[in-house]
Amino acid sequence: QVQLVESGGGLVQAGGSLRLSCVPSRSILSMLAMGWYRQAPGEQRELVAVISSVGSTSYADSVKGRFTIFRDIAKNTVFLQMNSLKPEDTAVYYCGADVYRNNPGMDYWGKGTLVTASS
């Protein structure tokens, strides 16, 4: 079992920045990957960014060049730096952890943190 605690959401004007944090209950190096997903009202949860155990990253096309996923191993924290926020980025952002090799996708989720980018 892995618990994930997100923080850093809030209200920001379009064009602004926010940084989300995710702290797991065990070492991030023990995860196959960690990622950020988001879900807007009435929409399905979608991938935003993922970072693998070796530090490789991938992004949704909609956030490339604006968002950066990175980790601080000493702090055991995964971050999502979000710049140039747009109203369409408004959503609940969830941190996920991929732990089990024989199970595709994320195995554990945080409770989410709300990001609102106002126009």
Side-chain angles (χ1 to χ4, degrees):
Q1 191 80 359
V2 179
Q3 285 77 46
L4 303 167
V5 179
E6 305 107 330
S7 61
L11 173 64
V12 64
Q13 286 190 331
S17 298
L18 282 174
R19 178 178 291 183
L20 306 183
S21 302
C22 175
V23 181
S25 59
R26 67 187 218 199
S27 172
I28 59 176
L29 295 179
S30 70
M31 316 292 186
L32 298 173
M34 292 188 67
W36 289 96
Y37 288 67
R38 67 186 181 188
Q39 187 168 17
E43 303 289 335
Q44 290 190 340
R45 190 174 297 189
E46 63 175 4
L47 171 69
V48 176
V50 174
I51 186 165
S52 75
S53 59
V54 296
S56 60
T57 59
S58 62
Y59 298 89
D61 288 342
S62 60
V63 306
K64 283 180 181 177
R66 300 187 297 123
F67 291 11
T68 303
I69 187 170
F70 63 100
R71 61 188 182 180
D72 186 326
I73 295 173
K75 294 182 179 179
N76 201 46
T77 303
V78 174
F79 299 95
L80 183 69
Q81 178 66 42
M82 305 184 293
N83 298 330
S84 303
L85 281 159
K86 304 176 180 179
E88 52 263 44
D89 295 318
T90 295
V92 177
Y93 283 69
Y94 297 91
C95 177
D98 184 5
V99 176
Y100 303 115
R101 197 171 298 275
N102 61 352
N103 186 34
M106 297 295 168
D107 301 298
Y108 297 100
W109 297 96
K111 294 182 178 180
T113 184
L114 177 63
V115 171
T116 303
S118 64
S119 57

